[in-house]
Amino acid sequence: MTRRGSTWLATIVAVMGSVSVDAKVTAPAGATVFRLDGAGVTYALGVDDKGYLEPLYWGPPLGTKDPLGTIDPARSGEPVLLKAPGELSGFDPAGSVTPQEYPGQGEGLVSEPGLKAVFADGNRDLVLKYRSHRVEGETLLVELADIHRPLTVVLRYAIDPETGVLARSATVRNGGDSPVRIDQIAAAVFTLSARDDYTLHYLTGRHAAEWQKKRIAVTPALTVLESRRGSTGHGNNPWFAIGRDGATDEDHGPVWYGALAWSGSFRISVGQDNLGRVRIAGGFNPYDFSWSLKPGETLDTPTFYAGYTDGGMGAASRAFHRFQMAHVIPHGDRAKLRPVLYNSWEATAFDVTERGQEALAEKAARIGVERFVVDDGWFGARDSDRAGLGDWTVNRTKFPDGLKPLIDKVKSLGMEFGLWVEPEMVNVDSDLYRAHPDWVLNFPGRPRTEGRNQLVLNLARSDVRDHVLNVLDRLVRDNDIAFLKWDYNRNWTEAGWPEMPLADQQRVHVAYVRNLYHILAELRRRHPSLEIEACSGGGGRIDLGILAYSDQVWTSDNTDPADRLMIQDGFTQAYAPAVMMAWVTDSPNWANTRVTSLDYRFLSAMQGGLGIGANLNHWQDADFATAAKWVAAYKTIRATVQRGRLYRIAPPSRDDGTSATMYVAADGRQGVLFQMLHSSMWRDNPSALHPQGLDPARLYRVRMLGDGALPEGMPRQASGAFWMNIGLCAPLKGDFVGAAFVFNAVD
Ligand code: GLA
């Protein structure tokens, strides 16, 4: 192993010689430093003279020749950048004060480890030091090794030149001849320099109330964002953002943010270490996890994506949205715009029949719907949520000739056909469960706790994985299905995998999710035009892992349009409006009985991908006319809403007041400002809303979306600078009303 010697320096010099000034992965000659630069972000790490790999810097760009590797002689030759002030005592061994980039659990480490392992002889001391590195394409790989045992970890780093978003992950390898038990493994550990004014932003909630924004001071009291549910869950989303109190707001200040691409139980911890530095660690949740790593075997973590901006929470989310659209969501920048869809769930629930769905399809087509989706209830003995899950054959009482007549009808009306499935689940009252009671997660002799009357199929088993894939493959092949809404409606209990040797049973947390990804990937490979919506009782499984296989997501089962504004505000902190679906449903809303106008419901739902879930059989002619108007209007702005940049001008709240969001096309040629009034008092005099993101020098003509007239006295045309500085406001009155201004560039 050569740490500061010529071997790795020579490699890096060679790398530098072969890349342009835009190089994203570099290591300046003469320093023991690895560096990633991109889009106004520098990330650096280096090897200290004891061989520890240390985080050096993460923030605004530094000069290419800046002394990142500066060594502090007073501190036993350690890099100075992340050094916290303060004196050390005998209570602070090196392992506890060195800010390691990816520490092993050993040598007195008192912060979260990157890796915690137990060797076959009982040794639990793991000390990881630098061994080697290489650059492959645009990825930096740094290999760490235990100081004595043949256990190695390869850390991977890449940076996106457009957004500065980093991708980090790790692979542990057992090079010995006995199994090593891995009890905890992080995808990455991030470090911020010591300060006492950091604030953590995170998203939490529950079924039908996901995506609530929370903030909390970062202190030595560790904050853990986690799921122990087997899937991402409605609780904490695997996303974080850290700003500085008083310095960071929507439009200003530093933000470090990130999200773990994993759809199973996860854990992200945030807290100050014993010297005040902030440590952010994220990976598989060690709760109920262990992996007996066999000789020669490797274990890969998911990817932890993370970024930095000095432009506040708004700039952070815009950069992250852009990154997701380009690099995570299927088809990248070539992804299709989300079609306007109709979904049957709130209209007909389990009572789906060929004639009933055809009648809805005819009405949906009249208002400009492009995709008609039959939700739950079309298969097996599925007349309620008590039976049928697992039996993915068409219910012949409801559809006597199969799905074909309905699909033909839907297509003849000019729409695509989509279908709801929940492939990972089984009702006890199903043919599948009667045939294979051993296919569910279970501990023999223990209760099998049901959630929504269903059990979880153990996708970690290869026979279950193959069965699910084959059933879906056949369903899509035998029917002209353009779209699957893929649901998942309970959390895990009794997560046993009894067929495995004892030491391997807790692999289930990882093996299940990997097989889920395998099925999704393989289904997409076999059916390249198939689109998939990720759903888990609404937004219970939305993360950058599932998004790699999902064209859109069902954001929440809460379809109340006012609640939805808050849900959308939370969702878009982390994830792109490009995938965020919302439906216009009936009023009063079934969930909270709130009464709202159809106009307001459309204006709320069209701030992402627009859907309609109302019972169209109850609509009057005027409703169809209103809906047709809004659907047509939406189609004139959807590219901007779905693929543009989102500016949160005024956040919605539970109380009264106006909220506003603005979407601007990437080329700056169109902007849309949604103004939504929750409730008002007589003679309220709202202040102007200031658009953002327009090109100041360009002329824009403004109109109201839909058929409304512009507010009296408002100019029709002015520069972006004018609109952004003077602002504008529709004179809204009453409760739950809205308006949208459209700015179109004038050539
Ligand atoms: C979940 C989904 C709903 C609907 C029902 C069907 O709750 O989130 O949209 O599909 O299941 O059972």
Side-chain angles (χ1 to χ4, degrees):
M1 166 177 133
T2 308
R3 181 174 44 77
R4 189 170 294 188
S6 56
T7 307
W8 74 267
L9 275 179
T11 313
I12 284 299
V13 170
V15 168
M16 289 188 74
S18 67
V19 291
S20 72
V21 284
D22 295 320
K24 288 171 281 173
V25 181
T26 55
T32 52
V33 168
F34 310 89
R35 225 181 120 140
L36 295 97
D37 288 279
V41 178
T42 297
Y43 187 91
L45 56 158
V47 184
D48 73 16
D49 65 350
K50 294 203 199 77
Y52 294 111
L53 186 68
E54 296 201 24
L56 294 179
Y57 179 78
W58 183 21
L62 299 179
T64 47
K65 296 201 163 67
D66 279 344
L68 272 165
T70 301
I71 299 301
D72 179 0
R75 283 283 178 77
S76 20
E78 290 166 304
V80 292
L81 283 173
L82 283 166
K83 277 287 147 291
E87 296 185 2
L88 304 179
S89 76
F91 291 99
D92 306 307
S96 81
V97 292
T98 306
Q100 297 177 58
E101 178 77 356
Y102 194 88
Q105 179 61 63
E107 205 192 4
L109 183 80
V110 290
S111 59
E112 286 296 293
L115 186 65
K116 179 177 183 304
V118 182
F119 292 85
D121 63 357
N123 169 55
R124 304 192 304 278
D125 183 56
L126 179 70
V127 180
L128 296 173
K129 294 198 174 179
Y130 172 85
R131 173 185 270 180
S132 70
H133 79 277
R134 61 189 192 281
V135 178
E136 284 180 2
E138 293 170 349
T139 302
L140 167 70
L141 297 101
V142 184
E143 185 188 25
L144 310 178
D146 180 58
I147 49 176
H148 295 311
R149 309 277 174 116
L151 192 78
T152 54
V153 180
V154 173
L155 307 178
R156 275 179 298 277
Y157 296 83
I159 192 164
D160 174 37
E162 301 286 319
T163 58
V165 170
L166 296 157
R168 287 188 55 185
S169 59
T171 299
V172 58
R173 179 172 190 280
N174 179 4
D177 46 22
S178 320
V180 177
R181 198 181 77 209
I182 306 299
D183 284 339
Q184 183 165 352
I185 180 165
V189 181
F190 296 96
T191 308
L192 305 183
S193 55
R195 298 187 70 104
D196 282 329
D197 62 354
Y198 290 113
T199 305
L200 169 68
H201 302 247
Y202 64 98
L203 294 164
T204 186
R206 56 182 188 277
H207 175 240
E210 311 87 335
W211 310 110
Q212 297 179 34
K213 295 187 295 186
K214 299 278 182 204
R215 46 191 294 179
I216 186 174
V218 179
T219 71
L222 197 68
T223 300
V224 174
L225 309 175
E226 68 169 353
S227 163
R228 300 180 174 209
R229 300 162 194 266
S231 74
T232 323
H234 297 83
N236 300 315
N237 194 267
W239 169 88
F240 76 90
I242 294 177
R244 282 183 37 219
D245 196 26
T248 302
D249 61 21
E250 180 68 15
D251 300 316
H252 312 94
V255 182
W256 294 263
Y257 60 91
L260 191 66
W262 187 242
S263 310
S265 293
F266 71 90
R267 184 172 192 267
I268 297 174
S269 62
V270 180
Q272 283 178 306
D273 71 5
N274 49 348
L275 293 182
R277 296 164 301 218
V278 175
R279 306 277 288 171
I280 306 144
F284 301 138
N285 197 331
Y287 157 81
D288 196 38
F289 164 83
S290 82
W291 190 286
S292 172
L293 197 64
K294 307 292 183 286
E297 195 188 3
T298 56
L299 173 63
D300 295 328
T301 72
T303 302
F304 202 155
Y305 295 101
Y308 169 81
T309 178
D310 57 8
M313 297 293 286
S317 59
R318 281 187 292 280
F320 213 23
H321 296 167
R322 202 164 133 212
F323 177 79
Q324 292 161 22
M325 286 192 278
H327 301 295
V328 179
I329 300 160
H331 309 302
D333 290 329
R334 298 185 329 281
K336 273 182 12 193
L337 290 177
R338 300 297 84 228
V340 177
L341 70 69
Y342 179 81
N343 178 290
S344 67
W345 174 244
E346 289 199 20
T348 51
F350 299 99
D351 189 17
V352 292
T353 61
E354 183 182 312
R355 285 192 47 196
Q357 296 299 302
E358 283 187 1
L360 285 171
E362 280 165 7
K363 296 184 171 99
R366 270 173 62 191
I367 54 178
V369 165
E370 297 157 313
R371 172 179 283 168
F372 184 84
V373 183
V374 176
D375 207 279
D376 202 348
W378 59 268
F379 54 91
R382 189 72 169 167
D383 294 323
S384 73
D385 63 17
R386 287 185 294 280
L389 280 180
D391 300 338
W392 300 106
T393 47
V394 181
N395 181 313
R396 291 285 169 161
T397 311
K398 299 176 180 183
F399 298 90
D401 300 309
L403 291 172
K404 189 167 185 324
L406 175 61
I407 295 177
D408 288 348
K409 173 83 178 180
V410 165
K411 295 198 75 178
S412 75
L413 290 165
M415 299 182 291
E416 295 177 344
F417 182 77
L419 201 58
W420 178 95
V421 289
E422 194 179 355
E424 300 155 77
M425 299 289 169
V426 67
N427 284 114
V428 169
D429 186 1
S430 68
D431 292 341
L432 185 72
Y433 187 74
R434 282 183 280 274
H436 299 285
D438 53 328
W439 276 13
V440 297
L441 294 174
N442 75 95
F443 292 118
R446 304 292 301 173
R448 298 182 174 196
T449 305
E450 295 177 25
R452 207 193 189 202
N453 308 302
Q454 62 199 50
L455 298 170
V456 184
L457 289 171
N458 183 359
L459 233 57
R461 288 173 57 131
S462 53
D463 50 0
V464 175
R465 176 199 64 196
D466 295 346
H467 169 81
V468 169
L469 174 60
N470 291 337
V471 163
L472 293 171
D473 183 33
R474 201 175 322 123
L475 185 67
V476 176
R477 192 162 13 88
D478 293 353
N479 300 282
D480 196 350
I481 293 173
F483 170 84
L484 288 177
K485 174 180 173 185
W486 183 302
D487 212 336
Y488 176 93
N489 275 315
R490 60 158 295 180
N491 293 317
W492 290 12
T493 53
E494 302 101 18
W497 186 3
E499 298 77 18
M500 289 294 271
L502 188 57
D504 298 328
Q505 291 187 4
Q506 283 160 287
R507 289 182 178 219
V508 67
H509 289 275
V510 174
Y512 181 109
V513 178
R514 285 182 176 173
N515 279 352
L516 169 65
Y517 292 161
H518 168 83
I519 295 167
L520 286 162
E522 185 57 18
L523 202 59
R524 295 190 73 107
R525 193 189 64 75
R526 294 184 196 175
H527 305 280
S529 62
L530 179 71
E531 292 205 344
I532 294 175
E533 177 175 76
C535 173
S536 171
R541 191 167 62 185
I542 297 174
D543 54 76
L544 294 184
I546 207 83
L547 272 179
Y549 308 98
S550 310
D551 304 276
Q552 61 189 55
V553 300
W554 181 225
T555 316
S556 177
D557 275 351
N558 184 341
T559 54
D560 174 80
D563 287 2
R564 199 66 175 215
L565 292 179
M566 282 185 292
I567 285 170
Q568 292 172 174
D569 183 52
F571 180 93
T572 59
Q573 304 290 321
Y575 303 112
V579 296
M580 179 180 75
M581 297 303 295
W583 305 339
V584 171
T585 57
D586 288 316
S587 174
N589 186 272
W590 67 273
N592 63 6
T593 71
R594 182 177 281 139
V595 177
T596 53
S597 70
L598 197 49
D599 292 331
Y600 181 81
R601 279 175 269 156
F602 265 100
L603 284 166
S604 169
M606 67 169 69
Q607 299 187 32
L610 175 64
I612 292 151
N615 191 339
L616 303 180
N617 294 323
H618 298 161
W619 277 17
Q620 308 299 316
D621 285 349
D623 298 322
F624 285 104
T626 302
K629 174 193 77 178
W630 283 121
V631 170
Y634 173 69
K635 289 175 183 172
T636 69
I637 55 152
R638 74 168 142 188
T640 299
V641 168
Q642 294 181 19
R643 308 296 299 184
R645 303 189 197 102
L646 169 63
Y647 295 82
R648 291 180 290 260
I649 309 286
S653 82
R654 267 170 189 264
D655 312 319
D656 57 2
T658 296
S659 63
T661 50
M662 171 120 193
Y663 299 78
V664 181
D667 64 5
R669 295 194 57 79
Q670 187 181 64
V672 190
L673 175 72
F674 290 92
Q675 175 185 343
M676 307 297 281
L677 178 62
H678 183 283
S679 55
S680 60
M681 258 180 104
W682 189 33
R683 291 188 176 142
D684 268 351
N685 195 10
S687 47
L689 297 165
H690 292 268
Q692 291 183 36
L694 297 175
D695 179 346
R698 198 169 238 164
L699 269 186
Y700 291 91
R701 183 184 292 276
V702 68
R703 65 177 169 90
M704 302 306 294
L705 188 66
D707 54 8
L710 280 177
E712 214 173 305
M714 207 175 112
R716 288 339 187 222
Q717 189 169 307
S719 68
F722 177 91
W723 297 120
M724 292 193 289
N725 290 307
I726 306 280
L728 73 175
C729 193
L732 301 181
K733 274 185 179 300
D735 299 344
F736 309 117
V737 285
F741 296 90
V742 183
F743 302 84
N744 282 313
V746 181
D747 278 317

